[in-house]
Amino acid sequence: ELLKLGSDLKVVNRWHSDLKLVALTYTLDDGKESLAKGEALINKNKPMVVESGKEKMIPLLFSIDPKGLENNRVVGVLQGKRKLMLRGDIVVEVWGIQKHYPFEKEATKLVQKALKGVL
């Protein structure tokens, strides 16, 4: 059974105009290799818009096959010896111009909590 992990990405619009989310890709990795990847499917006909001066939480979901996790990797994560990072890139459009913004967040505690629930 797949191990599903969820997190949120807070998008804060500091522009003086609404911004449209064009694309969102993300990975969960331990510095050596990626454990999971994901992307937000954004409907071009109905884009996700963040109004000027507002913020919006975007849910992220990872599905990890526990069979692919090596014992030493799981033990390292549970003992806090391996740091897991959520990394990604969000593409926004403001005034017709698209900009890429990379993001990074430590996800070790989130994964530790999920692994303790299944081990």
Short mmCIF file of all heavy atoms in Angstrom, two decimals, residues 8-21 48-58 90 92-94 101 103:
data_model
loop_
_atom_site.label_atom_id
_atom_site.label_comp_id
_atom_site.label_asym_id
_atom_site.label_seq_id
_atom_site.Cartn_x
_atom_site.Cartn_y
_atom_site.Cartn_z
N ASP A 8 1.52 21.51 2.76
CA ASP A 8 0.94 22.68 2.11
C ASP A 8 2.04 23.65 1.71
O ASP A 8 3.07 23.74 2.38
CB ASP A 8 -0.03 23.41 3.05
CG ASP A 8 -1.27 22.61 3.36
OD1 ASP A 8 -1.80 21.99 2.42
OD2 ASP A 8 -1.71 22.60 4.51
N LEU A 9 1.77 24.37 0.65
CA LEU A 9 2.65 25.43 0.19
C LEU A 9 1.85 26.71 0.29
O LEU A 9 0.77 26.82 -0.29
CB LEU A 9 3.10 25.18 -1.25
CG LEU A 9 3.92 26.30 -1.89
CD1 LEU A 9 5.26 26.43 -1.20
CD2 LEU A 9 4.11 26.02 -3.37
N LYS A 10 2.36 27.68 1.04
CA LYS A 10 1.67 28.96 1.17
C LYS A 10 2.22 29.91 0.11
O LYS A 10 3.41 30.18 0.06
CB LYS A 10 1.87 29.56 2.56
CG LYS A 10 1.16 30.90 2.71
CD LYS A 10 1.09 31.46 4.12
CE LYS A 10 2.29 31.34 4.95
NZ LYS A 10 2.20 32.06 6.23
N VAL A 11 1.32 30.41 -0.75
CA VAL A 11 1.70 31.37 -1.77
C VAL A 11 1.19 32.73 -1.31
O VAL A 11 -0.01 32.91 -1.07
CB VAL A 11 1.07 31.01 -3.14
CG1 VAL A 11 1.39 32.08 -4.18
CG2 VAL A 11 1.57 29.65 -3.61
N VAL A 12 2.12 33.67 -1.14
CA VAL A 12 1.79 35.02 -0.70
C VAL A 12 1.99 35.95 -1.88
O VAL A 12 3.07 36.00 -2.46
CB VAL A 12 2.68 35.45 0.48
CG1 VAL A 12 2.33 36.86 0.94
CG2 VAL A 12 2.57 34.46 1.64
N ASN A 13 0.95 36.69 -2.23
CA ASN A 13 1.03 37.62 -3.35
C ASN A 13 1.34 39.02 -2.83
O ASN A 13 0.50 39.68 -2.24
CB ASN A 13 -0.29 37.62 -4.13
CG ASN A 13 -0.23 38.52 -5.35
OD1 ASN A 13 0.77 39.17 -5.62
ND2 ASN A 13 -1.30 38.55 -6.10
N ARG A 14 2.56 39.46 -3.08
CA ARG A 14 2.98 40.81 -2.67
C ARG A 14 2.98 41.78 -3.86
O ARG A 14 3.44 42.89 -3.74
CB ARG A 14 4.36 40.73 -2.03
CG ARG A 14 4.31 39.98 -0.71
CD ARG A 14 5.58 40.12 0.09
NE ARG A 14 5.43 39.48 1.37
CZ ARG A 14 5.98 38.33 1.70
NH1 ARG A 14 6.71 37.68 0.85
NH2 ARG A 14 5.80 37.82 2.91
N TRP A 15 2.48 41.30 -4.99
CA TRP A 15 2.36 42.16 -6.18
C TRP A 15 1.15 43.08 -6.01
O TRP A 15 0.26 42.79 -5.21
CB TRP A 15 2.19 41.31 -7.44
CG TRP A 15 3.40 40.52 -7.80
CD1 TRP A 15 3.78 39.32 -7.28
CD2 TRP A 15 4.40 40.86 -8.75
NE1 TRP A 15 4.93 38.88 -7.86
CE2 TRP A 15 5.34 39.82 -8.76
CE3 TRP A 15 4.58 41.94 -9.61
CZ2 TRP A 15 6.45 39.82 -9.60
CZ3 TRP A 15 5.70 41.94 -10.44
CH2 TRP A 15 6.62 40.90 -10.41
N HIS A 16 1.10 44.13 -6.80
CA HIS A 16 -0.04 45.05 -6.77
C HIS A 16 -1.10 44.64 -7.79
O HIS A 16 -1.91 45.44 -8.21
CB HIS A 16 0.43 46.48 -7.05
CG HIS A 16 1.36 46.99 -5.99
ND1 HIS A 16 0.94 47.27 -4.71
CD2 HIS A 16 2.69 47.25 -6.02
CE1 HIS A 16 1.97 47.69 -4.00
NE2 HIS A 16 3.04 47.67 -4.76
N SER A 17 -1.06 43.38 -8.17
CA SER A 17 -2.01 42.83 -9.12
C SER A 17 -2.22 41.36 -8.77
O SER A 17 -1.38 40.75 -8.10
CB SER A 17 -1.44 42.95 -10.53
OG SER A 17 -2.29 42.37 -11.48
N ASP A 18 -3.33 40.80 -9.20
CA ASP A 18 -3.56 39.37 -8.99
C ASP A 18 -2.49 38.58 -9.73
O ASP A 18 -1.95 39.04 -10.75
CB ASP A 18 -4.93 38.97 -9.53
CG ASP A 18 -6.07 39.59 -8.73
OD1 ASP A 18 -5.80 40.22 -7.69
OD2 ASP A 18 -7.22 39.46 -9.17
N LEU A 19 -2.18 37.39 -9.23
CA LEU A 19 -1.26 36.51 -9.95
C LEU A 19 -1.95 35.19 -10.23
O LEU A 19 -2.80 34.75 -9.48
CB LEU A 19 0.06 36.31 -9.21
CG LEU A 19 0.12 35.60 -7.86
CD1 LEU A 19 0.13 34.09 -8.04
CD2 LEU A 19 1.38 36.01 -7.15
N LYS A 20 -1.56 34.60 -11.35
CA LYS A 20 -2.10 33.30 -11.74
C LYS A 20 -1.03 32.25 -11.53
O LYS A 20 0.13 32.46 -11.89
CB LYS A 20 -2.49 33.29 -13.22
CG LYS A 20 -3.63 34.18 -13.58
CD LYS A 20 -3.89 34.07 -15.08
CE LYS A 20 -4.82 35.15 -15.54
NZ LYS A 20 -4.97 35.14 -17.00
N LEU A 21 -1.41 31.12 -10.98
CA LEU A 21 -0.49 30.00 -10.87
C LEU A 21 -0.53 29.24 -12.19
O LEU A 21 -1.59 28.80 -12.63
CB LEU A 21 -0.89 29.07 -9.73
CG LEU A 21 -0.90 29.70 -8.35
CD1 LEU A 21 -1.35 28.70 -7.31
CD2 LEU A 21 0.45 30.25 -7.99
N MET A 48 -5.75 29.02 -11.13
CA MET A 48 -5.78 29.33 -9.72
C MET A 48 -5.23 30.76 -9.58
O MET A 48 -4.13 31.05 -10.04
CB MET A 48 -4.91 28.35 -8.93
CG MET A 48 -5.04 28.50 -7.44
SD MET A 48 -4.04 27.30 -6.53
CE MET A 48 -4.84 25.78 -6.96
N VAL A 49 -5.99 31.62 -8.98
CA VAL A 49 -5.61 33.03 -8.86
C VAL A 49 -5.44 33.39 -7.39
O VAL A 49 -6.24 33.00 -6.55
CB VAL A 49 -6.68 33.95 -9.50
CG1 VAL A 49 -6.35 35.42 -9.29
CG2 VAL A 49 -6.84 33.64 -10.98
N VAL A 50 -4.36 34.13 -7.09
CA VAL A 50 -4.13 34.67 -5.75
C VAL A 50 -4.26 36.17 -5.88
O VAL A 50 -3.50 36.81 -6.61
CB VAL A 50 -2.74 34.27 -5.20
CG1 VAL A 50 -2.56 34.81 -3.79
CG2 VAL A 50 -2.54 32.77 -5.23
N GLU A 51 -5.23 36.74 -5.20
CA GLU A 51 -5.49 38.16 -5.29
C GLU A 51 -4.36 38.97 -4.67
O GLU A 51 -3.65 38.50 -3.79
CB GLU A 51 -6.81 38.50 -4.60
CG GLU A 51 -8.02 37.85 -5.23
CD GLU A 51 -9.29 38.06 -4.42
OE1 GLU A 51 -9.25 38.76 -3.38
OE2 GLU A 51 -10.32 37.52 -4.84
N SER A 52 -4.21 40.19 -5.13
CA SER A 52 -3.19 41.10 -4.63
C SER A 52 -3.30 41.26 -3.11
O SER A 52 -4.39 41.48 -2.58
CB SER A 52 -3.35 42.47 -5.30
OG SER A 52 -2.40 43.39 -4.79
N GLY A 53 -2.17 41.10 -2.42
CA GLY A 53 -2.14 41.26 -0.97
C GLY A 53 -2.71 40.09 -0.19
O GLY A 53 -2.78 40.14 1.03
N LYS A 54 -3.08 39.02 -0.86
CA LYS A 54 -3.68 37.85 -0.19
C LYS A 54 -2.70 36.67 -0.23
O LYS A 54 -1.65 36.73 -0.86
CB LYS A 54 -4.97 37.44 -0.89
CG LYS A 54 -6.02 38.51 -0.97
CD LYS A 54 -6.69 38.70 0.35
CE LYS A 54 -7.78 39.76 0.21
NZ LYS A 54 -8.58 39.91 1.35
N GLU A 55 -3.09 35.60 0.44
CA GLU A 55 -2.30 34.36 0.39
C GLU A 55 -3.25 33.19 0.17
O GLU A 55 -4.44 33.28 0.46
CB GLU A 55 -1.48 34.16 1.65
CG GLU A 55 -2.29 34.03 2.91
CD GLU A 55 -1.41 33.95 4.15
OE1 GLU A 55 -0.54 34.81 4.35
OE2 GLU A 55 -1.63 33.01 4.92
N LYS A 56 -2.68 32.11 -0.36
CA LYS A 56 -3.48 30.91 -0.62
C LYS A 56 -2.62 29.69 -0.29
O LYS A 56 -1.44 29.65 -0.62
CB LYS A 56 -3.90 30.88 -2.09
CG LYS A 56 -4.88 29.78 -2.42
CD LYS A 56 -5.38 29.89 -3.85
CE LYS A 56 -6.64 30.70 -3.82
NZ LYS A 56 -7.40 30.66 -5.05
N MET A 57 -3.25 28.72 0.36
CA MET A 57 -2.56 27.47 0.66
C MET A 57 -2.82 26.49 -0.47
O MET A 57 -3.98 26.30 -0.87
CB MET A 57 -3.05 26.89 1.98
CG MET A 57 -2.78 27.78 3.18
SD MET A 57 -1.04 28.12 3.46
CE MET A 57 -0.55 26.64 4.29
N ILE A 58 -1.78 25.87 -0.96
CA ILE A 58 -1.89 24.89 -2.03
C ILE A 58 -1.51 23.54 -1.45
O ILE A 58 -0.39 23.37 -0.95
CB ILE A 58 -0.96 25.23 -3.21
CG1 ILE A 58 -1.31 26.61 -3.75
CG2 ILE A 58 -1.05 24.18 -4.29
CD1 ILE A 58 -0.33 27.10 -4.77
N ILE A 90 7.58 26.93 -8.65
CA ILE A 90 6.25 27.40 -8.98
C ILE A 90 6.39 28.48 -10.06
O ILE A 90 7.30 29.30 -10.00
CB ILE A 90 5.52 27.93 -7.73
CG1 ILE A 90 4.07 28.25 -8.05
CG2 ILE A 90 6.21 29.13 -7.12
CD1 ILE A 90 3.21 28.46 -6.82
N VAL A 92 4.44 31.53 -11.85
CA VAL A 92 3.30 32.43 -11.72
C VAL A 92 3.31 33.42 -12.88
O VAL A 92 4.35 33.66 -13.50
CB VAL A 92 3.32 33.20 -10.38
CG1 VAL A 92 3.22 32.25 -9.20
CG2 VAL A 92 4.53 34.08 -10.26
N GLU A 93 2.14 33.95 -13.14
CA GLU A 93 2.03 34.95 -14.20
C GLU A 93 1.42 36.22 -13.61
O GLU A 93 0.37 36.18 -12.96
CB GLU A 93 1.13 34.44 -15.33
CG GLU A 93 1.04 35.40 -16.49
CD GLU A 93 0.20 34.84 -17.61
OE1 GLU A 93 0.42 33.65 -17.99
OE2 GLU A 93 -0.67 35.57 -18.11
N VAL A 94 2.13 37.34 -13.80
CA VAL A 94 1.66 38.64 -13.36
C VAL A 94 1.85 39.61 -14.52
O VAL A 94 2.93 39.67 -15.11
CB VAL A 94 2.46 39.15 -12.13
CG1 VAL A 94 1.98 40.52 -11.69
CG2 VAL A 94 2.36 38.16 -10.98
N TYR A 101 9.71 30.66 -9.41
CA TYR A 101 10.14 30.84 -8.03
C TYR A 101 10.42 29.48 -7.42
O TYR A 101 9.50 28.70 -7.20
CB TYR A 101 9.06 31.57 -7.22
CG TYR A 101 8.88 33.00 -7.60
CD1 TYR A 101 7.88 33.38 -8.48
CD2 TYR A 101 9.75 33.98 -7.10
CE1 TYR A 101 7.72 34.72 -8.85
CE2 TYR A 101 9.60 35.31 -7.46
CZ TYR A 101 8.59 35.67 -8.34
OH TYR A 101 8.44 36.97 -8.70
N PHE A 103 11.31 26.89 -4.35
CA PHE A 103 11.05 26.87 -2.92
C PHE A 103 11.66 25.62 -2.32
O PHE A 103 11.96 24.65 -3.01
CB PHE A 103 9.55 26.96 -2.61
CG PHE A 103 8.73 25.82 -3.14
CD1 PHE A 103 8.52 24.67 -2.39
CD2 PHE A 103 8.16 25.90 -4.40
CE1 PHE A 103 7.76 23.63 -2.88
CE2 PHE A 103 7.39 24.86 -4.91
CZ PHE A 103 7.18 23.73 -4.15
#
